[in-house]
Amino acid sequence: MSRIPHGRLATYGQIAELIGAFGCARQVGWALRRLKLPSTVPWHRVVNARGRISMSLSREGSDWIQRELLMAEGVPVDGEGRLPLRQFLWHPDVHAGD
């Protein structure tokens, strides 16, 4: 996950596939929610497959932190957590280890 470049996005499912856990997108989300903040892991660059930040009261404000961090990297996010996923989606080159 640390390979997701500044200003780019990945989905929970994409990360699950990259680690060999196909179909385990929710588990990726749960693991990221347990990170202590601030974190050196770029957790904020991971969003759901619909191109949205998963907004929830149970996130205790980390959804708003995620929004601010993405906007600081130049990724536009609206007030409802929607972002242009197609434009900013990271496409790792698995053969180059990227």
Side-chain angles (χ1 to χ4, degrees), residues 35-44 69:
L35 289 172
K36 294 210 181 281
L37 299 181
S39 174
T40 59
V41 175
W43 62 273
H44 62 283
L69 290 170

Side-chain angles (χ1 to χ4, degrees), residues 13 16-25:
E17 286 184 39
L18 285 171
I19 64 171
F22 181 79
C24 294

Side-chain angles (χ1 to χ4, degrees), residues 50-66:
R50 293 183 297 167
R52 296 180 74 126
I53 292 172
S54 297
M55 307 292 268
S56 169
L57 291 175
S58 68
R59 290 190 59 186
E60 301 175 343
S62 66
D63 44 1
W64 292 101
I65 294 169
Q66 183 176 17

Side-chain angles (χ1 to χ4, degrees), residues 7-89:
R8 304 301 282 179
L9 303 169
T11 66
Y12 297 109
Q14 195 177 6
I15 299 303
E17 286 184 39
L18 285 171
I19 64 171
F22 181 79
C24 294
R26 286 183 188 219
Q27 287 80 357
V28 170
W30 291 332
L32 293 178
R33 279 186 58 195
R34 279 149 184 79
L35 289 172
K36 294 210 181 281
L37 299 181
S39 174
T40 59
V41 175
W43 62 273
H44 62 283
R45 297 178 185 149
V46 185
V47 298
N48 70 33
R50 293 183 297 167
R52 296 180 74 126
I53 292 172
S54 297
M55 307 292 268
S56 169
L57 291 175
S58 68
R59 290 190 59 186
E60 301 175 343
S62 66
D63 44 1
W64 292 101
I65 294 169
Q66 183 176 17
R67 181 179 185 275
E68 294 300 317
L69 290 170
L70 288 173
M71 289 182 6
E73 291 187 10
V75 178
V77 184
D78 73 12
E80 296 179 21
R82 292 182 298 234
L83 26 82
L85 183 60
R86 286 185 185 167
Q87 181 181 351
F88 290 91
L89 186 64

